[in-house]
Amino acid sequence: DHSQGVHAGFALAKSVDGGASFTRSFILQPVGAMDTLFKNGFQLLADPANVNHLLFAWPDSRNGDNDIYTSISFDGGLTWSIPIRVNDDGSGNGVVQDMLWPVFAADGTLAVIWRDRRNGTGNGYASATDTYYAISRDGGKTYEKNLRMTDSTAPYEKILDEAGNDFMSAALTSDTLYAA
């Protein structure tokens, strides 16, 4: 049971009777991004191969820079794992990741994609980016080596500092990952 605090946290409210009653479970309290320009999407999704398997994904700056994290539940959201770091660049190195999108394939294979600045020149938000992804074949307990999805690094453009709608999405079918 978690009491109210000054920092936002995430909880799952679940109903099995059409909304007449709910059970609630605390997922986590993320450590917020230090820069307001980051695209801090939070994602909750269910594994189509196992209705009791849920995944929560978010960017988190607990190591001093934004990294991609997930937490998993195999009991329908009653309990959640400790945060699992997905990106495999050096921890606390000033390289930031954001704009994430996790996706399950029909067989339960998981892919997480995100915007990554490890190939840029400099630290923080204003650096060149690539799209990276990681695959998990055990429901999000572990991730394979990060792979670069883009074939060229996109230079940082000042227009990214302005308000706008930046999105990432993905689909995973058989052995193919699609991202936009």
Side-chain angles (χ1 to χ4, degrees), residues 47 53-55 70-74 81 84 104 108-110 135-143:
D47 180 347
H53 178 207
L54 303 174
L55 177 117
T70 60
S71 182
I72 52 177
S73 173
F74 286 97
S81 72
I84 301 160
F104 280 108
T109 301
L110 170 66
I135 299 290
S136 175
R137 299 183 196 284
D138 60 7
K141 295 176 187 174
T142 60
Y143 290 89

